[in-house]
Amino acid sequence: MGEAPAFIVDDDVSNGLLLKSKGCETIISMGCNRTFAIGAMGNGSDSTIGVLIFEKSTSEWVIPTVLGMKPALSKGHSAIVLDEDRILVIKGNSTSDDCFWFLEVNTAFVREQSARLGTEVVAWSKGVVGEAQIPVVISGPSGVGKGTLIAKLMEDFPMMFGFSVSHTTRAPRNNEQNGVHYHFTERDVMENDIQDGKFLEFAAVHGNLYGTSVESVEMVTDQGKRCILDIDVQGARSVRASSLEAIFVFICPPSFEELEKRLRARGTETEEQIQKRLRNAKAEIDQGTSLGLFDNCLINDDLEMCYKNLKKLLGLSDGSAKANNLSAPETVHVPLEHTISKVDQKILINCTTPQQEKPASNMFVLDLSSIKGGAPGRTRGLNLYEAGPSMTGCNGFKTAS
Ligand SMILES: Nc1nc2c(ncn2[C@@H]2O[C@H](COP(=O)(O)OP(=O)(O)O)[C@@H](O)[C@H]2O)c(=O)[nH]1
Ligand SMILES: Nc1ncnc2c1ncn2[C@@H]1O[C@H](COP(=O)(O)OP(=O)(O)O)[C@@H](O)[C@H]1O
């Protein structure tokens, strides 16, 4: 559990939306029963951010199990309670690609993990500014053309899509690069990482272990791109059961004979491996087309036609309307000294220093009405924009004292 953080607890914690920041420590109340302290744990350069919970009914401090990648410690943060299930923590002196963090305290994931571990649990999830495009899971039997379709998508929309690089214990093919096509790894290393909870899903496929690490999905999301996962049907089922929201697409061959022809023509497998893949293909097609697991099934007969249909279901048929929206948002710097206030799902961040002449140009609105995802993984869909004059006065927003 670790050492208790050296928090300074203020008496003034009764207001649910209260922000109280003393150097590294932030104290925030949630409902009438619990107060959260977020601040430095450890000493000097070894300090990391820690969390303590004060249970008012028992007057006791509880050290929760903290899940997820946590933010680096900063000299000050502001915080605000959202919907009674998570706390938005804004790191001072940081840029918008790393300053918005959510501490989940009562989301479905946290409740599930708390029941599993039998302890109080909280989970960090970093907020990503930008359009909330949910990941795309693509499955289908070996040789059906998944890789070919994904490569076309990545080539035509490089700013929009990013590929989740899986881990596998199978040997690389001649044209495959480590870290690009797969992270080629040893079985015992991968099994340890699975035990440590680093994988979103994993499965034994054609005699090898394959898996998607949480990090591989988060890395794509951090770039503001829509994540594509090329995983088998078992993996798709695991992702469906996880809290990662995604769209599920199954690619089907026009016939079994054509699948066999493509696999042989690719020339990357031995005869034995081809036989194994063909045997597995039958079960995969059965499951992929009949379980209700997939949102869409595309038949890859004519490649161009299938690609066109894939683009259509991803909302790209009109050319690139959505792709253009995805240009990386401008980076905003949030200084150490800032105040925040909340109206509905909008947070006004006031970065104005007393010397500044045009305060409005230094106020931003963080709109959380379209957020998606959360722990495990990133919280996407944060919308950040400069506050207009109507938002910075008495119209809706009250500036926190
Ligand atoms: N569950 C799971 N399956 C994966 C993952 N990465 C790849 N696969 C699947 O493993 C199977 C074999 O992939 P691969 O060895 O690259 O052969 P290919 O499908 O014939 O190109 C395919 O069905 C992939 O979709 C992963 O991270 N998790
Ligand atoms: N619609 C198609 N018609 C004919 N050949 C195809 C089609 N789609 C893909 N291929 C070819 O089939 C082989 C297998 O495709 P690939 O993308 O590697 O499949 P997967 O990733 O599903 O294993 C490749 O040689 C590819 O060029």
Side-chain angles (χ1 to χ4, degrees):
M1 288 276 190
E3 183 191 328
F7 293 115
I8 305 162
V9 181
D10 212 299
D11 283 342
D12 186 16
V13 291
S14 51
N15 178 352
L17 295 182
L18 180 75
L19 157 74
K20 196 79 189 171
S21 189
K22 288 199 177 226
C24 292
E25 295 84 29
T26 297
I27 307 293
I28 192 158
S29 283
M30 187 163 257
C32 8
N33 298 327
R34 302 203 295 172
T35 297
F36 288 80
I38 303 162
M41 183 188 275
N43 294 314
S45 58
D46 291 341
S47 293
T48 59
I49 198 159
V51 180
L52 271 182
I53 305 171
F54 185 68
E55 292 286 353
K56 292 181 192 165
S57 56
T58 55
S59 293
E60 277 184 4
W61 285 96
V62 176
I63 305 177
T65 302
V66 182
L67 300 177
M69 199 182 99
K70 49 187 159 185
L73 193 62
S74 77
K75 288 222 163 77
H77 3 75
S78 50
I80 210 155
V81 174
L82 304 172
D83 300 332
E84 297 299 319
D85 64 358
R86 70 194 76 200
I87 297 168
L88 169 69
V89 176
I90 302 183
K91 277 171 63 186
N93 197 21
S94 309
T95 45
S96 46
D97 54 352
D98 185 42
C99 74
F100 305 120
W101 287 80
F102 296 87
L103 182 68
E104 299 192 7
V105 299
N106 192 28
T107 55
F109 173 68
V110 163
R111 287 197 298 273
E112 194 182 290
Q113 296 302 313
S114 185
R116 185 175 73 86
L117 296 167
T119 60
E120 189 79 48
V121 168
V122 295
W124 286 106
S125 172
K126 183 162 127 178
V128 180
V129 176
E131 198 168 325
Q133 295 276 24
I134 59 174
V136 185
V137 169
I138 298 186
S139 297
S142 181
V144 73
K146 304 178 296 295
T148 308
L149 289 161
I150 292 170
K152 280 172 84 64
L153 210 51
M154 303 278 289
E155 197 181 323
D156 289 350
F157 303 96
M159 296 307 292
M160 184 171 192
F161 295 101
F163 185 62
S164 157
V165 180
S166 292
H167 284 64
T168 182
T169 59
R170 88 149 158 74
R173 294 173 187 150
N174 281 342
N175 61 339
E176 287 179 330
Q177 282 171 269
N178 192 23
V180 176
H181 299 92
Y182 280 105
H183 297 289
F184 296 99
T185 181
E186 299 297 324
R187 186 175 273 266
D188 55 345
V189 175
M190 192 164 162
E191 282 172 350
N192 277 339
D193 285 346
I194 290 169
Q195 280 298 321
D196 290 346
K198 291 187 184 162
F199 280 80
L200 181 68
E201 63 76 31
F202 61 92
V205 192
H206 315 317
N208 284 298
L209 199 54
Y210 292 79
T212 309
S213 68
V214 174
E215 191 182 342
S216 67
V217 176
E218 289 187 343
M219 272 173 63
V220 176
T221 313
D222 284 358
Q223 294 163 8
K225 294 182 180 179
R226 187 170 196 182
C227 186
I228 302 188
L229 291 85
D230 173 346
I231 59 176
D232 85 317
V233 174
Q234 306 167 76
R237 197 178 298 121
S238 302
V239 174
R240 225 351 156 199
S242 81
S243 45
L244 185 83
E245 223 188 319
I247 173 167
F248 295 79
V249 184
F250 188 77
I251 311 290
C252 212
S255 67
F256 205 75
E257 292 67 36
E258 174 64 18
L259 183 70
E260 180 166 359
K261 207 168 103 193
R262 285 183 198 171
L263 253 185
R264 290 188 188 288
R266 190 171 70 182
T268 49
E269 271 74 33
T270 61
E271 180 58 29
E272 193 190 340
Q273 286 163 343
I274 290 175
Q275 290 304 332
K276 188 181 266 183
R277 280 159 193 265
L278 288 174
R279 275 196 305 276
N280 292 341
K282 288 204 167 74
E284 282 178 291
I285 295 170
D286 278 354
Q287 293 179 45
T289 52
S290 68
L291 273 182
L293 174 60
F294 291 89
D295 305 306
N296 297 278
C297 180
L298 297 180
I299 295 176
N300 182 18
D301 189 353
D302 175 73
L303 181 62
E304 286 312 316
M305 182 57 77
C306 184
Y307 180 53
K308 199 172 155 195
N309 289 335
L310 178 62
K311 283 193 295 182
K312 193 170 168 191
L313 76 86
L314 296 177
L316 298 164
S317 49
D318 58 349
S320 60
K322 285 198 176 169
N324 289 340
N325 284 347
L326 260 196
S327 57
E330 229 178 89
T331 306
V332 167
H333 181 260
V334 176
L336 202 53
E337 295 293 323
H338 65 269
T339 54
I340 57 174
S341 49
K342 177 175 178 284
V343 170
D344 299 327
Q345 294 298 309
K346 290 190 176 129
I347 314 290
L348 181 72
I349 308 167
N350 187 347
C351 307
T352 314
T353 58
Q355 299 89 327
Q356 273 170 334
E357 280 174 17
K358 286 185 189 165
S361 64
N362 230 358
M363 292 192 187
F364 299 93
V365 174
L366 181 68
D367 186 345
L368 301 176
S369 55
S370 306
I371 59 169
K372 291 208 177 229
R378 303 299 196 225
T379 302
R380 295 162 290 110
L382 282 66
N383 190 6
L384 183 67
Y385 51 89
E386 227 171 75
S390 64
M391 289 165 169
T392 56
C394 48
N395 255 1
F397 280 108
K398 268 197 326 216
T399 306
S401 54

